[in-house]
């Protein structure tokens, strides 16, 4: 999908010596988001920032009976954000009784879908990079290779857009479900006016916000390569021959018109 930045001389196969001559310096110095190491690198950032996330919020429950109070209740959650499975103990403000409270929501489908697309995009990018670097001439000789690459690039572009949009929406819902002010509404003691509930601190969202950004950057990266992959296919090369053939029939030597009326 990014062979436009790989020069023909980057990988030369010698059938007699059965070896590759690889210009690694050219490969490294051509790095930019559209270079061969751009897609796998961006995909790593996408699934690492999402799949490796864990967060915590803390709320306080100050009961009228001070002995029952808990001014720092820690609530931990992580990928894949099945919040309905996340529970914590909160004081009921009735003697020393405590209630088991569960968060609300399941956002695992969008998160796992996003990470899955990122992982498969990463793996395909590695395979494609190996093909472009070591088998570039063979890749261009086989017509089905560029066609498969074109179809896969289009599919991944669409899937990056869908998964990033779905994950962005799910992330906004996760933020709402884990907002300390919203979590306090789940605690029975906080519904009593004689008790005071508050927020100690909320989760940090910089990592997950970054994952959404990298998701849409991957979409731009893959979508931007569609045209360059299409140029390698037989569809484009076949279509480009027709205008040349037509011009040869219509003009003779010295550019004189030889067509009919």
């Amino acid at each position: 999908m990014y062979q436009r930045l790989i020069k023909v001389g980057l990988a030369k196969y010698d059938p007699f010596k059965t070896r590759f001559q690889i210009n690694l310096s050219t490969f490294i110095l051509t790095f930019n988001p559209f270079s061969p190491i751009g897609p796998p690198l961006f995909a790593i950032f996408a699934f690492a920032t999402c799949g490796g996330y864990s967060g915590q919020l803390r709320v306080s429950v100050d009961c009228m009976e001070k002995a029952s109070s808990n001014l720092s209740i820690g609530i931990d959650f992580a990928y894949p954000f099945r919040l309905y499975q996340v529970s914590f103990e909160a004081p009921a403000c009735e003697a020393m009784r405590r209630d088991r409270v569960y968060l609300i929501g399941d956002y695992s489908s969008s998160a796992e879908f996003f990470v899955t697309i990122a992982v498969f995009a990463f793996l395909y990018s590695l395979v494609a990079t190996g093909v472009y670097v070591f088998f570039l001439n063979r890749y261009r000789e086989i017509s089905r290779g560029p066609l498969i690459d074109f179809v896969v690039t289009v599919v991944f572009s669409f899937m990056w857009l869908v998964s990033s949009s779905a994950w962005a929406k799910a992330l906004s819902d996760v933020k709402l479900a884990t907002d300390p002010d919203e979590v306090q509404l789940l605690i029975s003691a906080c519904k009593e006016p004689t008790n005071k509930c508050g927020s100690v601190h909320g989760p940090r969202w910089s990592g997950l916000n970054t994952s959404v950004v990298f998701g849409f950057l991957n979409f731009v990266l893959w979508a931007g390569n569609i045209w360059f992959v299409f140029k390698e296919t037989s569809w484009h090369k076949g279509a480009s021959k027709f205008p040349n053939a037509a011009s040869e029939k219509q003009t003779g030597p010295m550019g004189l018109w030889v067509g009919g009326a």
Side-chain angles (χ1 to χ4, degrees), residues 36-254:
I37 58 178
L41 187 63
F42 276 49
I44 289 176
F45 288 148
F47 70 72
T49 51
C50 178
Y53 178 84
S54 62
Q56 183 189 74
L57 65 140
R58 286 186 176 274
V59 296
S60 63
V61 178
D62 189 6
C63 302
M64 186 174 61
E65 299 179 2
K66 299 300 182 180
S68 301
S69 301
N70 189 338
L71 302 181
S72 183
I73 304 174
I75 306 169
D76 299 315
F77 64 98
Y79 172 87
F81 307 103
R82 295 187 177 93
L83 299 183
Y84 70 94
Q85 297 179 350
V86 177
S87 64
F88 61 96
E89 287 188 350
C93 293
E94 296 178 0
M96 298 300 293
R97 186 171 65 87
R98 295 183 176 275
D99 295 333
R100 173 67 61 176
V101 182
Y102 289 84
L103 298 183
I104 298 175
D106 182 4
Y107 308 99
S108 59
S109 58
S110 297
E112 290 176 339
F113 178 48
F114 178 80
V115 171
T116 300
I117 295 300
V119 170
F120 277 104
F122 168 73
L123 295 176
Y124 178 78
S125 298
L126 289 182
V127 173
T129 300
V131 172
Y132 295 145
V133 172
F134 296 103
F135 304 100
L136 184 59
N137 293 334
R138 182 61 176 168
Y139 168 84
R140 288 173 171 171
E141 291 174 358
I142 303 176
S143 60
R144 287 188 299 178
L147 289 177
I148 295 174
D149 194 18
F150 172 72
V151 172
V152 173
T153 302
V154 172
V155 170
F156 267 116
S157 301
F158 176 74
M159 299 306 288
W160 270 119
L161 177 61
V162 173
S163 63
S164 299
S165 300
W167 170 230
K169 175 59 172 64
L171 177 56
S172 65
D173 294 337
V174 171
K175 290 180 179 179
L176 180 61
T178 56
D179 185 286
D181 294 332
E182 295 294 327
V183 174
Q184 293 173 33
L185 301 178
L186 305 176
I187 303 174
S188 59
C190 296
K191 300 176 182 178
E192 299 293 332
T194 56
N195 304 319
K196 296 181 181 180
C197 297
S199 169
V200 178
H201 68 76
R204 295 182 179 179
W205 302 110
S206 57
L208 294 183
N209 291 336
T210 303
S211 69
V212 174
V213 173
F214 273 110
F216 285 107
L217 284 178
N218 274 284
F219 162 69
V220 174
L221 180 64
W222 285 76
N225 278 292
I226 291 178
W227 166 246
F228 302 103
V229 180
F230 177 72
K231 287 169 58 177
E232 295 291 328
T233 64
S234 58
W235 297 337
H236 178 269
K237 294 179 179 178
S240 62
K241 294 180 181 178
F242 291 108
N244 295 333
S247 62
E248 291 176 358
K249 292 181 180 179
Q250 298 297 327
T251 59
M254 304 300 292

